[in-house]
Amino acid sequence: MKVTRLVLDDFRNISHIDVNFAGNVNVILGKNAQGKTNMLESVYLFSQGKSFRASRDRDLIRFNSVKSNLQMEFSTDKREQLYEINLFSDKRRRIFLNEVEIKKYADMNGNFYTVLFAPEHLNLVKEGPSERRKFLDIAISSLKPRYFKATEDYSRLLIHKNALLRDIH
């Protein structure tokens, strides 16, 4: 699985960029605050359906813009594919894979894989096992979409169980 092209419009500090990637290894160079991490964040967004740095879509849209359009072409063993994400400041985002709209984030799992290791992930070593479990859950969910659903169901049931136990006392 390889990213072959990335097109970003009004994403973070990037007004427009159209990058074609080649071969097995690509190096992204640039001065500070030029958008290198933003490019990586956009690729992660296509994989996980969420940013690793922001919780709101509004924070992903370039200052003084009302929307952002992201496209990523990637190849798998089977074929070339096109992902598109449209972010809006005033309504829900829209996600498309090969021009077919994806309605649930869970349906993004298994289409494109990424594993992110950033400086803030040092908590994997410093903190307790819950951080390591969370990291592994995210990585496994990318490979096995049913695992994502199972962890969601488990979390929901755990919340209900704890609420019932509180109500009993």
Side-chain angles (χ1 to χ4, degrees), residues 43-105:
V43 172
Y44 187 83
L45 188 63
F46 283 108
S47 173
Q48 301 296 322
K50 62 181 179 178
S51 165
F52 61 89
R53 300 187 318 171
S55 58
R56 299 179 313 161
D57 284 354
R58 178 73 207 126
D59 297 332
L60 302 174
I61 299 171
R62 188 166 173 250
F63 185 69
N64 286 334
S65 297
V66 294
K67 67 178 183 168
S68 177
N69 296 313
L70 299 82
Q71 289 185 341
M72 182 180 76
E73 294 175 13
F74 65 101
S75 62
T76 64
D77 294 341
K78 298 175 185 164
R79 65 184 238 191
E80 295 286 320
Q81 300 201 59
L82 173 65
Y83 240 142
E84 185 173 356
I85 298 177
N86 301 312
L87 304 171
F88 304 96
S89 60
D90 60 346
K91 60 183 175 180
R92 186 182 171 140
R93 71 172 66 171
R94 297 187 70 194
I95 302 169
F96 301 88
L97 177 61
N98 301 321
E99 299 181 358
V100 176
E101 189 163 10
I102 294 176
K103 298 286 187 182
K104 298 184 296 188
Y105 293 130

Side-chain angles (χ1 to χ4, degrees), residues 3 21 40 88 91 101 136 140 144:
V3 176
F21 295 98
L40 297 175
F88 304 96
K91 60 183 175 180
E101 189 163 10
L136 287 173
I140 294 169
K144 303 287 184 186

Side-chain angles (χ1 to χ4, degrees), residues 1-35:
M1 195 168 287
K2 296 178 187 177
V3 176
T4 54
R5 184 174 179 219
L6 187 64
V7 181
L8 307 176
D9 288 307
D10 294 322
F11 182 75
R12 294 283 195 173
N13 69 337
I14 299 170
S15 60
H16 175 78
I17 192 168
D18 188 339
V19 179
N20 289 299
F21 295 98
N24 292 325
V25 176
N26 291 271
V27 177
I28 301 169
L29 295 172
K31 294 181 180 180
N32 287 342
Q34 297 302 302

